[in-house]
Amino acid sequence: MRDWLSHRAAATPDDLAVIDADTDTRWSYSGLDAAVDETAGRLANLGVDAGDQVGTLLPRTFLGVCLLHAAQRLGVTLVPLNHRLTAEELAAQIDQLELTLVVCDIDTEPAAVEAVEEVPIASVDEPQWAAVKSFKDVEPAAIEPVEWQREEPQLIVFTSGSTGRPKPVVLTMGNLLSSAIASAFRLGVDPADRWLLTLSLYHVGGIAPIFRSTLYGTAVVVRSDFDPGQAADDLDRYDVTVVSLVPTMLKQMLDRRGTLSDSLRVVLLGGAPADDALLQRCENYSVPVHPTYGMTETASQVATARPTDAFDRPGTVGRPLLWTEVTVLGDNDEPVAPGESGELVVSGPTVTPGYYGEDGEAFCPYGLRTGDIGYRTEDGSLFVVNRIDDRITSGGETIDPGAIVAVLTDHAAIEAAAVVGVPDEQWGERVTALVVSTDDDLSAEAVDSHCREHLAGFKCPKTSVFADELPRTASGSVDRPAVREAVTAAIEDASVAAEPDTDVDDADETEPPIESVDAAAVDDDDDGEPGIADRRPPSPMSPAEEPTTTPTDTEPIPDAESDAVNDDAASGADDDAAPDVDDDATDNSDGE
Ligand SMILES: O=C(O)CCC(=O)c1ccccc1C(=O)O
């Protein structure tokens, strides 16, 4: 099999392949094919051969798209590096690889020069260092597309490292091919599809649609920056039918425009769990949201829900995709019954053969251990509760915070909550909660008695701290270290809202966990899955950075009133009332 673009350009040369929204340029498949041939020819003349690894440090541009196809054409393993890393972080990643060339631009050149030793660097802009070559000045060599075997490595993508050191994931041609087919099997394909690229080109969720659309013969719309208002406008302007978003991005787009374009067929929502309020907004405004669970190690989607599933059962990520199997392993590493939670283990043709340069310790006989805790219902719907590493050990018991968050957010006056363990002399770890309440009068005692009604005593937060909002990472998942800090600071300040008498817990210490709780556990905002989060999580958004908007237009609407308000907001007439967020706020939340 040659690069997919070669086959596509031969089959439907005149069809639309790419819209470059930065320059408002349209590329047919034959036009894209020629641009990719030129890009591949330059790589070849820079000394790149089949089987080599080429690193890129580039934003999401048309040239970035060309480089992905060019690597496939040349038989090269592309290593898209995170252009936001510091030189030191980059050097740590590059040291694990065997790069033949690094392609940078004017913004990433300094980091490339500092991080890279003995690997040639080429810049797609005017080089600033003498040692750096000008990519565009290289004469393109004539090249022949290389034949691929399915097991050959097409990409090495680093995990985001939100839960540890970023790891280099090898993705084969077969992984990407299986993912493209399985994704289409779940989402469907319309010949008129246009996929707006919103995620970075160094994340698998950003790369996958580029290869996919070539296989499907559909188009992608590429825009280098993510601005929520502009992205929402792009949906209309370019008749976009599919878009991948992390929850924060979707929230911001809805804040700006009330609803999204009617042209949309699929909003693929992943990288972090979608909370109930966001799903409710999608239902109210007929946004075709498809909550998805995926990871770098599986070339993106593992399971994806359709809108009806998502609205009927908030929190579900639906059933596993075609050919993908998810096994839930209990504490003894044996599969558990539906409803019981355990570690999610994934197998199938999209699963990576392994991390580059590492042994297979992430694999068990059932497949790849994800480090995520979740459960499946009788009908096979998957729920992801939290990361294994997020579990709390208190009084000798292992506690999943997701189950406690689910109980807390069931309280009518609690909008959001995060549960973490903080070190405690008596308990090992102490279960603590950061609670966002809609009712200023809600007391810690009331929170405690609500928990005690639904949870075994040892699971009930021993300390509840109130906050205006939860600290979050770029992808919208709860920033657990920041929660821990906030709670610890509150405890130290003794400005803790209240500490229920811990004595009553002693009796509970040995009580077994209540099984039924897990089945009801819907992780609505507590995650930490290997997500889209930036390697350097931005500071939590302060209230001032939250997009401002007219609350009546965008807040979730109580059931009884939803019809009445829908029409107003759907007109999108609130543009003027919703000032654009400044660049910083956008930067903090673009999921990159
Ligand atoms: O969390 C990850 O690392 C992968 C998530 C991911 O790829 C994704 C994130 C947001 C929207 C869509 C997708 C996708 O699976 O394509």
Side-chain angles (χ1 to χ4, degrees), residues 1 45 64 121 143 147 167 173 176 190 250 266 279 288 334 340 351 370 451 464 466 476 481 527 535 537:
M1 168 187 352
N45 254 351
I121 303 170
I143 51 120
E147 292 286 335
K167 287 193 277 187
M173 174 64 101
L176 291 169
D190 185 320
L250 176 58
V266 174
L279 292 172
E334 287 300 322
E340 282 181 48
V351 176
T370 64
C451 288
S464 292
F466 293 99
D527 100 309
R535 175 74 184 86

Side-chain angles (χ1 to χ4, degrees), residues 199 204-205 244-245 268-271 292 294-296 300-301 529-532:
L199 307 178
V204 73
S244 308
L245 298 169
L268 195 58
L269 187 66
T292 188
M295 64 200 80
T296 310
S300 74
Q301 295 160 269
E529 88 174 51
I532 288 291

